[in-house]
Amino acid sequence: SILLFSGGVEASIAGLLLHNHTGGNISLWFPKLLKLLTEMPPDQTDELLLSLCQGLKGEPKILEKIIAIMREDKAKIRAQASVGNYKKAYIIAVNKKMRGEILWLQGVCETAGDNQTRDFCKKFLEHNPI
């Protein structure tokens, strides 16, 4: 049984699961990922899932499955942004009125050259002052 490991072993195991099955049948590896998550402290699961999302730009179905099991909206926003889904990240942040995340996303969009989403963020921040 995989219990508490130090040094990111959980991430390595989950990454190995994902790497070996990306593009394949999700039903083969997703239950293993879910089991791994139940054996981890709850406050660490989103961090692990976020680290997995960063390599899933070309795998939208797998990405959405992983984001769906994240606990925190902040992690969902960062996961979407990590693969270039800035508009999806923006929608989550706006729906939850997460001003700090919108400010963060504005900077990410500026760096990435997504001027449209950056401008959406800017308008939201202007119309929703602190």
Side-chain angles (χ1 to χ4, degrees), residues 3 54-55 61 67 77 80 97 100 123:
L3 292 174
Q54 294 168 353
K61 289 179 184 176
I67 290 173
I77 292 164
Q80 291 288 6
K97 300 195 181 338
K123 286 180 184 173

Side-chain angles (χ1 to χ4, degrees), residues 50 53-55 57 63-64 67 70 73-93 101-102 104-109 112 114 117 121:
L50 181 57
C53 289
Q54 294 168 353
K57 189 169 185 160
L63 178 70
E64 290 303 321
I67 290 173
M70 288 180 163
D73 292 322
K74 181 178 180 177
K76 294 175 183 184
I77 292 164
R78 295 190 180 236
Q80 291 288 6
S82 75
V83 295
N85 293 340
Y86 305 115
K87 288 179 188 162
K88 287 182 179 184
Y90 172 78
I91 289 168
I92 296 167
E101 289 306 301
I102 294 168
W104 171 82
L105 185 60
Q106 180 182 4
V108 171
C109 290
D114 184 340
T117 306
C121 292

Side-chain angles (χ1 to χ4, degrees), residues 31-62:
K32 294 175 187 174
L33 177 62
L34 292 175
K35 181 168 179 7
L36 174 65
L37 294 175
T38 65
E39 296 176 356
M40 292 180 62
D43 63 337
Q44 294 178 10
T45 59
D46 279 356
E47 186 179 327
L48 171 66
L49 294 170
L50 181 57
S51 72
L52 294 177
C53 289
Q54 294 168 353
L56 291 174
K57 189 169 185 160
E59 301 284 348
K61 289 179 184 176
I62 295 171

